[in-house]
Amino acid sequence: VLATRESHEVVAAVPRYHLPLAVYLKALSPQLPVWLPSTAPSFNAGVLVLNLEAWEEGNFTGKVDWWARKNSNRTLWRHGSQPPLLLLLYDKVKWLDETWNVDGLGHYKNHSPGALENAKILHWTGPLKPWVPNGLHQERWELFAVHCWKGAGNGLPT
């Protein structure tokens, strides 16, 4: 998916055009870096591919740590570990087809049938996980649920 040393791409991920970078930082904060293209798409750090050679060569572990410490008082962002990855990698991404991460399944009911049918990865981001009562898309989860989930007081049919 990712090229070797010649490539500037460190990560491959599905773009989230509906959630630009600025969403993950406090809205138009005066501390928003001027170099950051706030309207650029974000990506979900829960499903991505890393070029480990480029990651290590670029010392991205140290850089993520630096940004996380800089935000220890939560003045830059409130979304956990996602923003430092976006700050560092927004311009080092190879964009993948949306079928590689159909996310938001714990937020939205209105995914197109085609998106769900063609998905390579179904990703239940959001609070309405399929294993909780009133979770979304339980019928899709049931197809893949391990038998021990069934009947464990989780609201799924036994």
Side-chain angles (χ1 to χ4, degrees), residues 55-68:
W55 180 271
E56 289 175 4
E57 286 175 10
N59 185 29
F60 285 100
T61 299
K63 292 174 182 177
V64 168
D65 181 63
W66 184 86
W67 274 107

Side-chain angles (χ1 to χ4, degrees), residues 101-124:
N101 185 15
V102 177
D103 71 353
L105 296 180
H107 280 295
Y108 312 109
K109 292 181 183 180
N110 61 345
H111 283 80
S112 74
L116 295 173
E117 292 303 321
N118 296 319
K120 293 173 178 60
I121 297 175
L122 297 172
H123 192 173
W124 272 267

Side-chain angles (χ1 to χ4, degrees), residues 2 9-24 36-50 55 60 64 79 81-97 100-101 103 123 125:
L2 291 171
E9 296 160 335
V10 178
V11 64
V14 173
R16 291 171 129 185
Y17 297 105
H18 65 289
L19 293 171
L21 294 178
V23 168
Y24 287 93
L36 184 71
S38 61
T39 59
S42 66
F43 57 85
N44 182 283
V47 177
L48 52 79
V49 178
L50 290 173
W55 180 271
F60 285 100
V64 168
H79 292 285
S81 61
Q82 182 93 8
L85 292 173
L86 296 173
L87 284 166
L88 293 167
L89 302 173
Y90 73 92
D91 62 346
K92 295 167 183 58
V93 181
K94 176 178 181 166
W95 296 120
L96 300 176
D97 182 79
W100 282 104
N101 185 15
D103 71 353
H123 192 173
T125 55

